[in-house]
Amino acid sequence: MSQYEKSKFPDSFTPNNETYDYTENFEDNVVKINQTILKELIVKCNLPPTLVEHVGFRNFLKTIAPKWKPTSSRYFTKTLLPTLMSTSQDKIRSLLDSIDHLSITVDVWTDRRGRSFIGVTGHFLDLNFAPLALLLDFSRLKGSHTGENIHLVTDEILGNLKVRNKVYRIITDNAASMVKAYKFGLTVNDDDFTIKDDNNLQLGDSFVRFTNDDDSNISSEWILADWYENDKDSIDNGKDVSSIRLSCFAHSLQLAIRDGLKNTPYLSRSLLKCIQLAQRSCKSTKIADLLEDIGKTISRSNMTRWNSEYLLIKSIIGLGKKTIDEITDVIDDNELKFNNNDFLILQEAIDILEPFAEITSRIQADSVVTASLVVPSVVHMIEHVNNIKPQLSFLKKICIQLEQSISKRFAGIVKRLFQQSVDVSDPFSDQMYFVCTVLDPEFKFYWLTQMKYKSSVESQMKQSLTQMILDECEHAVDSSLSSALMVNNDNTQAIDISMKKKRKLFHYDDDSNLSIDSTANPTYEINAYINDSTRLRFSSYWKNSSLCSLKNVVKRIFSVQASSAPIERVFSQAGLIMSPRRTSMLEEVFRSLVFLRVNQNLLQ
């Protein structure tokens, strides 16, 4: 009967070679399912490991994988998670072994249980000259947050990864303990930490606090968070003299804007109305319905980020006077009424701060190079403040204070722009920022036009910038060529002969075509690069470039991040993982989940 049915209805039967032997592949399937649960659900979706013990989840798996055996959460945290962690760490070590230069960002974070962790992210360019970021370690930091303690833990992390000698720059915020930790790079003598004058720079156990001037209150002062104690000691007095440590540009910009917004009574009064309006409106269902009808919202301010106040003001302006009047009528508080001057003042604040907000966003990007944005950003801020000042009626004082703060917080860059002598203790005195800007195809020398230099001054500036690049080239000799030339004398002679070409009579090389001899000449390469009219994105340009000396420089200096935003993003992920409902999580499990979630691109 079976043979008859098969011959009569051949399409109703699946050929034997297409059948799937569940018994033979059962164990492999169970392993794959468990690994997928760990990677996709527990790590990437941030679901708790106890998920596998929930009745609903097990019923779900019974439907899609009937032969899957229920597994305990302990098996995931004690067996599968450490294995995945070890595999990811091996991949990171392999990647780090293949690079020559690495920059890191470092910071400290405290969880909901009061435990401190130090995070270190690594940054470099891959073979396609695309920026890559990795979380190198998320380690427990026991004891006080002193510069010595932070330094020792960082040194241990880099030593375990065998990348201590590859670190090009360390980017941190302006905390006094961070300044001290990397003041002398990664080879600090023990005596350096016993200097009495530096002891007062050490920070206590808490990094973040909100401050307020003693002679001011919220009604007369725009309060912005002074993130760290002793900030004036660490910056204003020139304590940041490290040649390897760089200040976070975003943090320095935050401090510069805070300086600019001090003692501005016009703005403080109008801003106070905005803050109170936002607080009161979120408690009223009538206002919520009104905002929903027009499809708009009122932003909430956050004292730790200056641009939250900017977004608050922008949302108030966007509502318009008519809607604001309707909202204040609902609240029925005459002190919250906005007059015409309030709107003029708030609009001036938006006009002043808009470029600063855009710079803050762009400088913290993680998928593009950011070090080249620093100098053009400072140039743009200087030009913007100078141009908008005459147009203001109420807030000219902000522009004056911003000018002064920019000159102080970014003294190294500003002095070079105006061809003044730069001291090593000046913030942002590293000439690397200028080299990065010139070697980014988006900028080259184009940004110099914003400075409105005279022709002679602009020419001197270009020569100065070119010399900076040449200085960097001296430290980035083509390693492959150098090793080939040092094999032995016979090989050296053969290579030298092949490298040298006789010039034909009355024949000259075209600048657009690099000869074998000219590719080893940094000056020639710089000229060819500057005169190249090709406008490609950074990665595309340098991936296809034949300028060997400049490519070596690019590989090194563009590992630098303009801000410490990457490590801040790590802490944001850590905060999501250590939710209020998961505070009893074991430390090792927590560290592993943070590490894997941040490095989830490696979980392939």
Side-chain angles (χ1 to χ4, degrees):
M1 185 67 177
S2 176
Q3 294 295 330
Y4 170 75
E5 290 180 350
K6 287 183 179 179
S7 61
K8 189 173 182 180
F9 309 105
D11 296 336
S12 301
F13 294 88
T14 305
N16 290 333
N17 58 356
E18 294 183 9
T19 59
Y20 189 81
D21 191 346
Y22 285 96
T23 303
E24 181 179 348
N25 297 280
F26 171 71
E27 293 297 332
D28 290 341
N29 282 340
V30 171
V31 172
K32 289 180 180 178
I33 290 173
N34 287 334
Q35 289 177 343
T36 301
I37 292 172
L38 177 61
K39 292 179 184 179
E40 305 299 333
L41 298 182
I42 296 177
V43 173
K44 294 183 180 180
C45 293
N46 194 27
L47 297 175
T50 53
L51 169 76
V52 297
E53 297 180 354
H54 289 183
V55 175
F57 179 78
R58 290 186 172 183
N59 290 337
F60 169 74
L61 275 187
K62 283 182 182 179
T63 303
I64 63 172
K67 294 189 177 183
W68 178 78
K69 293 181 178 180
T71 309
S72 68
S73 61
R74 182 180 178 83
Y75 174 71
F76 277 85
T77 57
K78 295 295 184 180
T79 303
L80 294 183
L81 186 61
T83 301
L84 184 60
M85 180 76 172
S86 178
T87 302
S88 299
Q89 288 174 327
D90 290 341
K91 288 182 180 180
I92 287 179
R93 288 191 180 94
S94 179
L95 283 172
L96 295 177
D97 288 341
S98 66
I99 63 173
D100 297 320
H101 306 289
L102 175 77
S103 290
I104 63 174
T105 67
V106 185
D107 205 350
V108 176
W109 177 79
T110 302
D111 69 6
R112 298 176 188 274
R113 294 172 58 180
R115 299 175 300 184
S116 295
F117 296 86
I118 184 169
V120 180
T121 63
H123 306 269
F124 57 92
L125 298 182
D126 65 11
L127 296 177
N128 295 321
F129 285 81
L132 284 184
L134 299 169
L135 175 58
L136 302 184
D137 206 341
F138 185 73
S139 179
R140 181 71 182 275
L141 178 67
K142 296 185 177 180
S144 299
H145 299 174
T146 62
E148 180 180 12
N149 198 16
I150 293 171
H151 171 89
L152 291 176
V153 175
T154 306
D155 193 52
E156 181 181 356
I157 291 172
L158 298 178
N160 291 337
L161 294 171
K162 299 180 180 180
V163 294
R164 187 185 290 112
N165 296 329
K166 295 183 178 183
V167 175
Y168 175 59
R169 291 289 187 272
I170 302 173
I171 300 93
T172 75
D173 54 43
N174 295 321
S177 54
M178 286 294 178
V179 173
K180 183 176 180 181
Y182 310 110
K183 187 174 182 180
F184 304 97
L186 291 171
T187 55
V188 181
N189 297 323
D190 293 338
D191 294 341
D192 292 330
F193 290 109
T194 62
I195 301 175
K196 294 182 179 179
D197 292 341
D198 282 344
N199 287 340
N200 61 357
L201 292 179
Q202 292 186 2
L203 193 64
D205 290 338
S206 177
F207 267 37
V208 181
R209 74 186 188 102
F210 302 120
T211 64
N212 197 356
D213 294 339
D214 295 336
D215 58 348
S216 64
N217 53 59
I218 194 169
S219 63
S220 62
E221 178 69 23
W222 181 327
I223 300 178
L224 288 172
D226 188 355
W227 289 0
Y228 303 101
E229 296 184 23
N230 299 321
D231 173 60
K232 292 183 179 179
D233 290 335
S234 63
I235 301 176
D236 297 350
N237 296 333
K239 298 296 184 182
D240 188 4
V241 296
S242 168
S243 61
I244 190 171
R245 177 197 168 273
L246 298 176
S247 294
C248 169
F249 182 79
H251 182 210
S252 298
L253 181 59
Q254 159 100 352
L255 297 173
I257 296 170
R258 183 204 63 188
D259 294 340
L261 299 175
K262 281 183 177 179
N263 303 318
T264 54
Y266 287 121
L267 182 58
S268 296
R269 287 192 293 268
S270 299
L271 176 64
L272 179 60
K273 292 182 181 181
C274 294
I275 295 174
Q276 292 179 344
L277 181 65
Q279 293 173 345
R280 300 277 291 274
S281 62
C282 68
K283 300 176 182 179
S284 171
T285 56
K286 290 183 179 180
I287 297 176
D289 293 340
L290 191 154
L291 293 173
E292 184 178 359
D293 290 340
I294 61 176
K296 294 186 178 181
T297 59
I298 298 178
S299 299
R300 298 292 300 276
S301 62
N302 182 338
M303 292 188 68
T304 60
R305 293 293 183 268
W306 78 266
N307 54 351
S308 67
E309 272 82 7
Y310 166 80
L311 295 175
L312 169 60
I313 296 174
K314 196 170 183 179
S315 66
I316 295 293
I317 292 292
L319 291 175
K321 192 174 187 308
K322 180 181 178 181
T323 303
I324 293 297
D325 288 341
E326 292 178 5
I327 293 175
T328 53
D329 288 340
V330 172
I331 297 175
D332 193 20
D333 188 342
N334 291 330
E335 293 184 1
L336 287 183
K337 296 289 184 179
F338 283 70
N339 55 44
N340 291 332
N341 282 347
D342 286 324
F343 278 91
L344 291 175
I345 291 168
L346 293 177
Q347 186 59 57
E348 285 190 2
I350 291 295
D351 294 339
I352 294 172
L353 297 175
E354 187 172 14
F356 292 88
E358 183 179 355
I359 290 171
T360 300
S361 298
R362 291 198 61 183
I363 210 71
Q364 298 181 84
D366 59 351
S367 60
V368 296
V369 293
T370 55
S372 57
L373 301 175
V374 172
V375 173
S377 294
V378 174
V379 170
H380 188 78
M381 287 188 292
I382 293 173
E383 181 192 44
H384 169 69
V385 171
N386 286 331
N387 290 343
I388 199 172
K389 192 193 313 180
Q391 305 172 22
L392 303 175
S393 301
F394 297 94
L395 303 181
K396 288 185 178 181
K397 185 178 179 181
I398 290 181
C399 290
I400 296 173
Q401 292 178 165
L402 281 173
E403 283 180 318
Q404 296 172 348
S405 185
I406 291 170
S407 297
K408 178 183 70 172
R409 300 287 181 182
F410 308 104
I413 293 175
V414 174
K415 287 182 178 180
R416 279 200 169 93
L417 290 173
F418 292 98
Q419 297 186 317
Q420 299 172 358
S421 177
V422 179
D423 191 86
V424 68
S425 63
D426 289 329
F428 293 86
S429 61
D430 198 324
Q431 68 179 25
M432 177 275 306
Y433 291 111
F434 284 86
V435 177
C436 283
T437 298
V438 177
L439 292 184
D440 189 332
E442 181 181 353
F443 298 112
K444 293 187 178 180
F445 288 146
Y446 306 134
W447 55 277
L448 289 173
T449 57
Q450 276 189 283
M451 292 300 297
K452 297 180 175 59
Y453 289 129
K454 294 181 179 179
S455 298
S456 58
V457 177
E458 182 173 332
S459 178
Q460 292 176 3
M461 194 67 185
K462 289 180 178 179
Q463 291 178 6
S464 177
L465 295 172
T466 301
Q467 185 58 51
M468 291 181 190
I469 300 175
L470 290 173
D471 293 341
E472 290 292 336
C473 288
E474 291 182 4
H475 302 292
V477 179
D478 187 356
S479 57
S480 60
L481 179 59
S482 299
S483 59
L485 292 173
M486 295 175 64
V487 173
N488 55 52
N489 292 334
D490 294 338
N491 289 344
T492 302
Q493 184 177 4
I495 292 176
D496 286 344
I497 293 174
S498 64
M499 291 287 290
K500 295 179 180 178
K501 294 177 63 178
K502 290 184 178 180
R503 182 184 292 278
K504 296 180 180 179
L505 185 63
F506 304 132
H507 180 80
Y508 306 98
D509 289 332
D510 183 3
D511 285 349
S512 61
N513 298 311
L514 295 176
S515 66
I516 297 178
D517 185 43
S518 64
T519 55
N521 186 338
T523 303
Y524 192 100
E525 289 191 6
I526 294 172
N527 290 332
Y529 166 72
I530 295 299
N531 294 322
D532 186 359
S533 59
T534 304
R535 300 296 297 272
L536 296 175
R537 291 185 177 274
F538 174 86
S539 299
S540 300
Y541 184 93
W542 287 111
K543 176 185 176 181
N544 301 312
S545 174
S546 60
L547 307 175
C548 299
S549 295
L550 293 187
K551 288 178 76 171
N552 289 332
V553 172
V554 167
K555 275 279 190 179
R556 183 174 74 253
I557 64 175
F558 278 96
S559 65
V560 175
Q561 294 290 298
S563 75
S564 58
I567 193 62
E568 296 294 339
R569 283 190 283 269
V570 172
F571 297 155
S572 295
Q573 296 293 339
L576 294 175
I577 293 172
M578 180 62 76
S579 67
R581 294 186 177 184
R582 300 173 68 180
T583 55
S584 61
M585 189 187 313
L586 294 176
E587 178 184 319
E588 194 59 35
V589 174
F590 174 56
R591 291 180 53 216
S592 297
L593 290 177
V594 172
F595 184 89
L596 292 171
R597 182 170 173 82
V598 176
N599 293 321
Q600 60 181 277
N601 290 335
L602 300 177
L603 304 181
Q604 302 297 337

